[in-house]
């Protein structure tokens, strides 16, 4: 088992990563249970194959499920109300630890519910998708989607503990695994070129489910995110903004494809990273060789690397228009994460959207 500490003063916590960890849940969660029970927020798709496994790992402690339908629609005012009402109906108290057992949707929803119920109670993340294991379960951002846009209402609320068991991914759809893998590559591209070298050699094993490679890749990505979150918990200094590499382009692609199954978030991030590299090459910041390596690696992982694959070539203006709605905009400008090479990302706030639109129009 690997332990990664997130050092945030009195909000510090451990991330435990290990194959088969769920079986040992009682060891970590029994001290957090009250009257031998834990309230567990999950979705129906996760709970049906994995609920029994969690219950078995908890031994004599009862897992009380609070279930919402699977999917992004549950990250809504209505979904939040149903979870908060259920927690209160079960008599949740401030010192209780709510368990978020699912992908990023459940982590964001249960985390936000924990941030506001009784004016805030504790929560533990047990992420079950690869995206949640390497990204959304760490860092304390919680949110729901509202009419004006995605993730616009939420809170910073750090978990007390994160338990990551890569064996939970065995029931996850392979396309979702590839999408989560894109976020691992993203960390490597931000500031860990050695990790990128390793992924080029071992990434196929990570995707295929080799437990040792998976644990190592997850731990590397989580450690990368933890370091960035420690340095800039609330995204005030700009360091945490680096985590948005590939995301300004990616969100525009998701918006243009209607946030649908046509393009999963991680797939948009893969293509978004490729575009960030290509744009950096165009601006004379990064070598073409690095951009080629990035595209080749995402392609080898079965992720999209060309606008034409999505029929979005020649849509520069439409894509750039979505960027004006980016919630990370400050003073009317969109911050772009650009690169000087693999593992060398930086924030650039001086980019003109018209230049981006022209670049996207010409990109294949
Ligand atoms: N808080 C953050 O820092 C942060 C960061 C990145 C993404 N997010 C959010 O995360 C969400 C995306 O997360 P996601 O990709 O995990 O989506 P998700 O939670 O919708 O999970 C994807 C699908 O896989 C299913 N699933 C999850 N684990 C499974 C398992 N082990 N076996 C079988 N099925 C399983 C889910 O039921 C769902 O249908 C978005 O809402 C995004 O905004 C948050
Ligand atoms: Zn992301």
């Amino acid at each position: 088992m690997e332990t990664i500490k997130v050092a945030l003063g009195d909000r510090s916590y451990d991330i435990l990563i290990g194959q088969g960890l769920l079986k040992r849940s009682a060891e970590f969660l029994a001290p957090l249970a009250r009257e031998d029970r834990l309230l567990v927020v999950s979705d129906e798709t996760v709970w049906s194959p994995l609920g029994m496994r969690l219950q078995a790992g908890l031994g004599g402690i009862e897992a009380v499920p609070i279930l919402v339908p699977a999917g992004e629609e549950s990250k809504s005012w209505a979904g939040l109300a149903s979870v908060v009402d259920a927690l209160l109906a079960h008599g949740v108290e401030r010192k209780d630890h709510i368990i978020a057992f699912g992908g990023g949707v459940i982590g964001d929803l249960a985390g936000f519910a924990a941030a506001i119920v009784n004016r805030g109670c504790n929560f533990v993340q047990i992420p079950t998708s690869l995206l949640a294991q390497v990204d959304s379960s760490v860092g304390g951002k919680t949110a729901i989607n509202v009419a004006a846009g995605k993730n616009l209402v939420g809170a910073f609320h750090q978990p007390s503990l994160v338990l990551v068991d890569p064996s939970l991914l065995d029931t996850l759809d392979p396309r979702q695994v590839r999408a989560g893998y894109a976020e691992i590559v993203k960390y490597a591209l931000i500031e860990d070129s050695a990790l990128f070298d390793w992924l080029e050699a071992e990434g196929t094993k990570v995707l295929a489910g080799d437990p040792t490679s998976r644990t190592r890749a997850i731990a590397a990505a989580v450690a990368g995110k933890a370091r960035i979150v420690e340095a800039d918990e609330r995204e005030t200094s700009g360091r945490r903004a680096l985590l948005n590499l590939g995301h300004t382009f990616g969100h525009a692609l998701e918006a243009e494809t209607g946030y649908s199954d046509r393009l999963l978030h991680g797939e948009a991030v893969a293509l978004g990273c490729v575009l960030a590299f290509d744009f950096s090459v165009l601006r004379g910041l990064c070598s073409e060789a690095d951009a080629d390596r990035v595209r080749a690696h995402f392609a080898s992982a079965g992720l999209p690397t060309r606008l034409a694959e999505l029929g979005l070539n020649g849509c520069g203006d439409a894509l750039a228009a979505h960027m004006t709605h980016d919630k990370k905009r400050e003073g009317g400008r969109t911050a772009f994460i650009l690169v000087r090479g693999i593992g060398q990302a930086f924030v650039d706030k001086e980019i003109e959207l018209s230049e981006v639109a022209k670049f996207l129009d010409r990109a294949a």
Side-chain angles (χ1 to χ4, degrees):
M1 183 177 84
E2 301 227 22
T3 303
I4 293 165
K5 291 197 178 302
V6 187
L8 293 169
D10 58 3
R11 294 177 308 290
S12 298
Y13 55 97
D14 284 346
I15 302 162
L16 310 181
I17 306 168
Q19 182 83 357
L21 214 56
L22 196 73
K23 287 198 194 112
R24 295 167 55 192
S25 300
E27 193 181 322
F28 310 108
L29 299 180
L32 307 180
R34 182 167 56 89
E35 291 165 5
D36 287 338
R37 59 163 216 171
L38 286 164
L39 301 175
V40 181
V41 180
S42 189
D43 73 38
E44 285 147 6
T45 306
V46 168
W47 189 256
S48 73
L50 298 175
M52 297 279 278
R53 277 172 66 185
L54 173 63
Q55 183 56 75
L58 284 173
I61 295 166
E62 185 197 357
V64 180
I66 294 173
L67 302 183
V68 298
E72 196 70 33
E73 295 71 35
S74 288
K75 245 180 76 172
S76 59
W77 287 116
L80 180 70
S82 79
V83 169
V84 168
D85 285 342
L87 290 167
L88 292 168
H90 283 295
V92 65
E93 292 185 11
R94 289 199 74 183
K95 288 190 174 158
D96 284 350
H97 289 77
I98 296 165
I99 311 295
F101 186 56
V105 163
I106 291 300
D108 279 11
L109 178 63
F112 189 32
I116 59 174
V117 74
N118 296 335
R119 298 201 179 83
C121 63
N122 304 301
F123 84 115
V124 170
Q125 292 266 19
I126 307 183
T128 64
S129 70
L130 184 55
L131 183 130
Q133 294 192 343
V134 299
D135 191 354
S136 58
S137 65
V138 177
K141 279 192 183 177
T142 73
I144 58 168
N145 307 321
V146 294
K150 283 193 65 179
N151 296 324
L152 289 182
V153 174
F156 284 98
H157 189 51
Q158 300 292 347
S160 321
L161 177 70
V162 184
L163 291 184
V164 180
D165 180 348
S167 81
L168 301 184
L169 305 176
D170 294 346
T171 53
L172 186 67
D173 181 62
R175 186 178 172 202
Q176 296 281 358
V177 173
R178 292 194 292 275
Y181 180 79
E183 300 276 8
I184 301 180
V185 178
K186 178 198 77 176
Y187 289 115
L189 297 176
I190 291 172
E191 58 173 8
D192 193 345
S193 65
L195 176 61
F196 188 78
D197 295 344
W198 183 81
L199 290 170
E200 282 185 318
E202 304 285 323
T204 341
K205 287 194 199 163
V206 177
L207 287 163
D210 171 61
T212 313
S213 312
R214 259 193 189 166
T215 303
R216 187 166 164 192
I218 293 168
V222 165
K225 179 155 184 182
R227 274 196 305 272
I228 290 175
V229 169
E230 282 171 355
D232 183 17
E233 184 182 5
R234 288 175 170 249
E235 205 163 329
T236 42
S237 77
R239 187 141 163 71
R240 190 162 179 167
L242 292 176
L243 293 168
N244 292 326
L245 175 63
H247 281 63
T248 306
F249 288 110
H251 288 147
L253 299 166
E254 285 184 274
E256 188 62 18
T257 48
Y259 293 100
S260 64
D261 271 0
R262 235 177 105 195
L263 189 66
L264 300 180
H265 172 73
E267 294 169 340
V269 168
L271 180 48
C273 286
V274 170
L275 292 168
F277 268 77
D278 284 350
F279 188 60
S280 302
V281 171
L282 186 73
R283 301 201 104 225
L285 294 162
C286 166
S287 75
E288 244 179 285
D290 272 11
D292 288 346
R293 272 177 80 191
V294 171
R295 175 172 271 116
H297 186 62
F298 280 124
S300 75
L303 287 157
T305 60
R306 303 254 177 217
L307 288 171
E309 286 174 55
L310 303 164
L312 294 180
N313 44 323
C315 296
D317 287 334
L319 290 169
H322 292 300
M323 292 175 185
T324 62
H325 303 303
D326 197 305
K327 75 171 178 300
K328 305 263 161 64
R329 266 163 82 86
E330 269 176 46
R333 289 202 92 92
T334 304
F336 279 85
I337 315 304
L338 301 183
V339 289
R340 296 195 175 86
I342 290 168
Q344 299 175 61
F346 68 98
V347 184
D348 192 329
K349 294 185 176 165
E350 304 301 322
I351 303 289
E352 295 293 339
L353 270 184
S354 56
E355 186 188 340
V356 176
K358 206 151 108 198
F359 156 73
L360 287 170
D361 242 3
R362 290 176 188 168

